[in-house]
């Protein structure tokens, strides 16, 4: 290209580039300022069908729906079939938003009205829970009543909407079928209570002492050391004992929580001695003068009370006929008690110590007698928290 051609071509090229850039920026402005339009969803067909999802059956049972789809407002029937040894504890129908659909009916049938959404049927079927009826376990052990004991296994689900109240506790059902109690943000399994048979009298009545420390509680938070009026006696017996002088306060306690109304009928009313003799070890007569002075009663004893549940006295806790012995003997296995998990959660530091009902001697003001972790008997503050090992007598059982 000659010089004359270049002089004509280059200005023309510059004009073309300038026009192109102008068009680009104009288009860009239009694209930014133009509103974004989202097309509406395709309209639903008139009166559409919605799906009903039901889980497959298991060895525990099955729930069936009479249809797999339904229109809004249409009635849907559910048929429930549970295998022997299991029970349905929850049955929910949940819509796509997670809301519960109202169910009607009982027994083996339920119905609901189909919402304008897909739904899922969610049954919870579990094994029957353990019961607390009296049972001879052999080797001088029986099981009787129920109480929270072992910490829940990791990964096991607990359904708080499947609950019941027993005495002073509210229990919730676990996926294993057992009841659980929530205490200090942990769940504890409600299990059968094991008792050591201390004596069987001529009528067949058995004197029982809990094999483990079941709970931790102060003898009396106000400092009272008279067993008849103590908080621990009120808590053990709750509102259904025929106590001689103490008002139990009208609130349920251990008795109403651990035993059903029918099981309570098997528990005898016991005449519980609270006199001076009950506060002394059996071997008191063999003591030296100094030991006798150390154990001299403090005047805070009373007469006999009538209770269904009670704590042992030091006199009972040193009797050889019950398998015990001298108060400072650390080789007596029956006096050594370990706490259940539930008790240790309440007061782990004192978990191996448990209270007797006997006030301490006159040299030990505001103290009670307790069994130490090694089985020896010592004295401790009345307001301190110690383990609780209930005792009771059951009537002649089959």
């Amino acid at each position: 290209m000659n010089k004359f051609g270049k002089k004509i071509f280059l200005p023309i090229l510059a004009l073309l580039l300038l026009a192109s850039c102008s068009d680009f920026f104009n288009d860009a402005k239009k694209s930014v300022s133009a509103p974004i339009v989202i097309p509406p969803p395709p309209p639903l067909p008139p009166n559409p069908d919605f799906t009903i999802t039901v889980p497959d059956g298991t060895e525990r049972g099955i729930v069936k729906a009479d249809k797999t789809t339904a229109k809004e407002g249409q009635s849907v029937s559910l048929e429930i079939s549970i295998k022997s040894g299991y029970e349905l504890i929850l049955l929910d129908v949940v819509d796509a938003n997670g809301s519960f659909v109202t169910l009607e009916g009982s027994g083996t049938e339920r119905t609901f009205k189909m919402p304008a959404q897909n739904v899922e049927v969610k049954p919870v079927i579990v094994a029957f829970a353990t019961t607390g009826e009296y049972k001879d376990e052999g080797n001088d052990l029986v099981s009787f009543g129920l109480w929270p004991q072992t910490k829940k296994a990791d990964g096991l689900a607990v359904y708080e909407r499947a609950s019941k109240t027993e005495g002073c506790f509210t229990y919730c059902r676990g996926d294993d079928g057992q009841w659980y109690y929530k205490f200090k943000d942990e769940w504890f399994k409600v299990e059968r209570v094991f008792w050591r048979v201390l004596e069987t009298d001529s009528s067949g009545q058995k004197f029982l002492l809990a094999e483990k420390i079941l709970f931790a509680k102060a003898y009396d938070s106000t400092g009272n050391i008279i067993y008849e009026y103590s908080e621990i006696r009120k808590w053990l017996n709750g509102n259904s004992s025929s106590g001689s002088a103490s008002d139990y306060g009208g609130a349920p306690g251990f008795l109403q929580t651990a035993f059903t109304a029918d099981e309570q009928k098997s528990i005898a009313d016991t005449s519980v001695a609270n006199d001076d003799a009950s506060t002394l070890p059996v071997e008191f007569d063999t003591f030296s003068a100094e030991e006798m002075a150390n154990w001299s009663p403090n005047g805070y004893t009373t007469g006999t009370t009538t209770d269904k549940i009670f704590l042992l006295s030091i006199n009972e806790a040193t009797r050889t006929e019950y398998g015990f012995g001298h108060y400072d003997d650390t080789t007596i296995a029956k006096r050594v008690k370990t706490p259940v998990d539930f008790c240790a959660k309440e007061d782990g530091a004192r978990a191996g110590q448990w209270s007797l009902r006997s006030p301490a001697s006159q040299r030990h003001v505001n103290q009670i007698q307790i069994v130490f972790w090694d089985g020896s008997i010592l004295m401790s503050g009345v307001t301190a928290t110690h383990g609780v090992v209930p005792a009771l007598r059951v009537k002649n059982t089959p």
Side-chain angles (χ1 to χ4, degrees), residues 265-337:
K265 295 175 183 177
S266 299
I267 302 174
D269 290 328
T270 297
S271 295
V272 179
N274 299 294
D275 56 3
D276 285 353
S278 71
T279 68
L280 300 174
V282 169
E283 61 272 13
F284 178 77
D285 291 341
T286 67
F287 284 177
S288 65
E290 174 61 23
E291 284 181 305
M292 285 187 176
N294 190 52
W295 284 93
S296 177
N298 59 20
Y300 288 102
T301 55
T302 58
T304 299
T305 57
T306 302
D307 301 317
K308 288 187 178 294
I309 312 291
F310 52 95
L311 301 180
L312 291 187
S313 68
I314 187 174
N315 186 272
E316 292 164 333
T318 53
R319 291 188 186 181
T320 55
E321 61 264 38
Y322 295 158
F324 301 130
H326 198 279
Y327 78 92
D328 64 355
D329 191 340
T330 60
T331 66
I332 300 173
K334 283 187 179 180
R335 273 202 312 240
V336 176
K337 301 289 184 181

Side-chain angles (χ1 to χ4, degrees), residues 14-339:
L15 288 172
L16 291 172
L17 290 173
L18 182 61
S20 176
C21 289
S22 177
D23 290 341
F24 170 79
F25 285 111
N26 286 334
D27 290 342
K29 290 179 181 178
K30 291 178 181 178
S31 64
V32 170
S33 61
I36 299 173
V37 178
I38 300 175
L44 291 173
N47 202 12
D49 286 332
F50 297 98
T51 61
I52 303 164
T53 302
V54 181
D56 294 334
T58 68
E59 73 281 355
R60 300 180 179 187
I62 188 171
V63 176
K64 297 179 180 178
D66 65 344
K67 50 182 70 71
T68 57
T69 63
K71 300 181 185 299
E72 181 183 4
Q74 191 173 358
S75 179
V76 180
S77 296
L78 301 176
E79 181 183 351
I80 304 163
S81 178
I82 307 299
K83 300 292 182 64
S84 176
Y86 295 90
E87 61 180 323
L88 179 75
I89 62 169
L90 288 174
L91 179 59
D92 295 323
V93 177
V94 183
D95 67 21
N97 291 327
S99 299
F100 293 109
V101 177
T102 301
L103 283 168
E104 296 182 353
S106 60
T108 60
E109 294 183 353
R110 303 285 194 282
T111 61
F112 65 92
K113 297 295 184 182
M114 191 70 182
Q117 299 184 63
N118 298 334
V119 299
E120 182 179 359
V121 179
K122 295 183 175 182
V124 179
I125 304 171
V126 300
F128 287 134
T130 297
T131 55
E133 70 277 2
Y134 183 95
K135 181 181 178 182
D136 189 339
E137 302 286 352
N139 297 318
D140 291 329
L141 282 176
V142 302
S143 59
F144 184 38
L146 298 172
W147 189 254
Q149 297 183 57
T150 306
K151 185 177 176 181
K152 179 184 76 67
D154 291 340
L156 188 141
V158 176
Y159 303 97
E160 297 194 49
R161 290 191 300 117
S163 64
K164 69 172 182 177
T165 297
E166 291 289 346
C168 53
F169 292 159
T170 295
Y171 296 148
C172 298
R173 204 71 176 271
D175 193 49
D176 59 351
Q178 302 306 316
W179 292 104
Y180 287 83
Y181 178 62
K182 193 174 188 179
F183 181 66
K184 293 187 175 180
D185 297 324
E186 288 194 52
W187 290 99
F188 296 90
K189 188 177 183 179
V190 179
E191 300 171 285
R192 296 180 65 84
V193 180
F194 281 79
W195 306 80
R196 177 69 57 181
V197 180
L198 300 183
E199 177 188 57
T200 303
D201 67 16
S202 57
S203 70
Q205 188 176 105
K206 289 181 171 59
F207 183 16
L208 307 180
L209 179 68
E211 186 69 351
K212 292 190 175 184
I213 301 173
L214 298 180
F215 197 57
K217 196 172 183 68
Y219 185 95
D220 193 284
S221 63
T222 68
N224 166 54
I225 60 173
I226 301 177
Y227 183 70
E228 182 175 0
Y229 306 106
S230 66
E231 292 174 349
I232 192 65
R233 178 174 176 247
K234 294 179 183 180
W235 180 80
L236 287 171
N237 291 276
N239 58 7
S240 68
S241 175
S242 57
S244 59
S246 176
D247 174 10
Y248 283 118
F254 176 81
L255 176 65
Q256 295 78 26
T257 306
F259 304 101
T260 65
D262 284 341
E263 290 163 357
Q264 291 174 42
K265 295 175 183 177
S266 299
I267 302 174
D269 290 328
T270 297
S271 295
V272 179
N274 299 294
D275 56 3
D276 285 353
S278 71
T279 68
L280 300 174
V282 169
E283 61 272 13
F284 178 77
D285 291 341
T286 67
F287 284 177
S288 65
E290 174 61 23
E291 284 181 305
M292 285 187 176
N294 190 52
W295 284 93
S296 177
N298 59 20
Y300 288 102
T301 55
T302 58
T304 299
T305 57
T306 302
D307 301 317
K308 288 187 178 294
I309 312 291
F310 52 95
L311 301 180
L312 291 187
S313 68
I314 187 174
N315 186 272
E316 292 164 333
T318 53
R319 291 188 186 181
T320 55
E321 61 264 38
Y322 295 158
F324 301 130
H326 198 279
Y327 78 92
D328 64 355
D329 191 340
T330 60
T331 66
I332 300 173
K334 283 187 179 180
R335 273 202 312 240
V336 176
K337 301 289 184 181
T338 57

